[in-house]
């Protein structure tokens, strides 16, 4: 991958994370199910997301979601829909990112004499344990593409942990898999979140008398 390509990918990834972090997307579908018609790019990126936040298999013989755990993972939380959102600049670059990951998988397998099936993407054909070992190495300080994987992993986390592609209230109403699994609290009847219990069971300091109604310091 050329320097220009890396720069374009990082720019698109960073812009996508910024949009998600501000709740800038309109509601998008959450694809919990899948079938064998998924293209190689979708399979590879789905397997990457499932390695970071694993979920149960979606159907018998599912290779993308390795079924390493029970319950939903990043794929069930709609991370692929997020990456492909037309409201983000990332979709045209996804094949290049997936291809880079598959190249790494081929190199990883060659060193370890692991046979890979030509009928599926190389990264997807690795076992979950080998995927985990490979991904761990991608985040090493000596990996030239480390920033790509770091920012891509942020997107995976945002999709599952915060339902960043949705308004939070709407995501809870629709039963977003990630928020439901994390038991994210529902808002009060007026749609606002208030936390009556302090983190340490007591307030850490008295409220300053000049604090504004919005909570801003004096």
């Amino acid at each position: 991958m050329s320097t220009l390509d890396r720069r374009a990918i990082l720019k698109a990834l960073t812009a996508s994370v910024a949009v998600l972090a501000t709740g800038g997307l309109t509601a998008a579908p959450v694809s919990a199910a899948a079938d064998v018609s998924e293209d190689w790019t979708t399979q590879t990126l789905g397997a990457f997301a499932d390695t970071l936040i694993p979920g149960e298999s979606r159907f018998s013989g599912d290779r993308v979601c390795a079924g390493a755990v029970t319950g939903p993972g990043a794929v069930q939380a709609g991370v692929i829909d997020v990456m492909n959102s037309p409201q983000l600049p990332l979709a045209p670059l996804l094949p290049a990112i997936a291809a880079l990951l598959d190249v790494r998988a081929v190199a990883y397998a060659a060193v370890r004499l692991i046979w890979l099936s030509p009928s599926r993407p190389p990264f997807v054909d690795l076992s979950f344990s080998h995927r985990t070992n490979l991904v761990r190495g991608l985040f090493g300080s000596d990996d030239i593409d480390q920033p790509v994987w770091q920012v891509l992993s942020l997107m995976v986390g945002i999709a599952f942990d915060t339902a960043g592609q949705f308004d939070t209230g709407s995501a809870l109403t629709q039963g977003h898999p990630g928020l439901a699994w994390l038991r994210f609290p529902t808002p009060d009847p007026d749609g606002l979140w208030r936390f009556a219990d302090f983190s340490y069971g007591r307030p850490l300091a008295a409220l300053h008398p000049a604090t504004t109604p919005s909570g801003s310091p004096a």
Side-chain angles (χ1 to χ4, degrees):
M1 185 182 297
S2 69
T3 301
L4 178 61
D5 289 335
R6 285 191 178 92
R7 197 170 293 170
I9 286 175
L10 280 172
K11 183 177 179 180
L13 281 167
T14 303
S16 298
V17 168
V19 172
L20 290 170
T22 57
L25 292 188
T26 56
V30 174
S31 297
D35 56 45
V36 294
S37 67
E38 287 179 330
D39 61 36
W40 277 39
T41 294
T42 298
Q43 291 182 55
T44 299
L45 295 176
F48 176 82
D50 185 71
T51 304
L52 295 177
I53 305 180
E56 60 194 12
S57 297
R58 299 163 294 173
F59 51 86
S60 177
D62 189 2
R63 297 283 303 191
V64 171
C65 294
V69 300
T70 58
V75 173
Q76 287 86 350
V79 66
I80 298 301
D81 289 326
V82 173
M83 292 180 183
N84 282 285
S85 171
Q87 299 172 66
L88 299 179
L90 190 58
L93 299 172
L94 293 179
I97 297 173
L100 178 60
L101 187 56
D102 281 328
V103 167
R104 297 301 184 88
V106 170
Y108 177 94
V111 170
R112 292 161 181 80
L113 301 180
I114 299 172
W115 184 84
L116 296 175
S117 170
S119 65
R120 62 178 62 95
F123 185 80
V124 175
D125 203 40
L126 291 174
S127 68
F128 184 78
S129 60
H130 282 304
R131 290 182 198 175
T132 301
N133 289 335
L134 171 56
V135 169
R136 184 182 295 116
L138 296 180
F139 291 94
S141 58
D142 59 342
D143 192 287
I144 190 172
D145 294 308
Q146 181 201 53
V148 171
W149 313 123
Q150 287 177 327
V151 184
L152 188 64
S153 69
L154 286 176
M155 290 195 68
V156 174
I158 288 173
F160 183 86
D161 295 332
T162 72
Q165 66 271 37
F166 294 102
D167 169 79
T168 304
S170 298
L172 288 168
T173 300
Q174 297 172 23
H176 181 270
L179 296 186
W181 183 258
L182 295 172
R183 299 180 182 177
F184 194 91
T186 56
D188 291 337
D190 61 0
L192 299 178
W193 278 265
R194 299 177 179 86
F195 301 92
D197 297 326
F198 295 97
S199 297
Y200 292 90
R202 61 184 177 84
L204 299 182
L207 189 66
H208 191 281
T211 301
T212 66
S214 66
S216 299

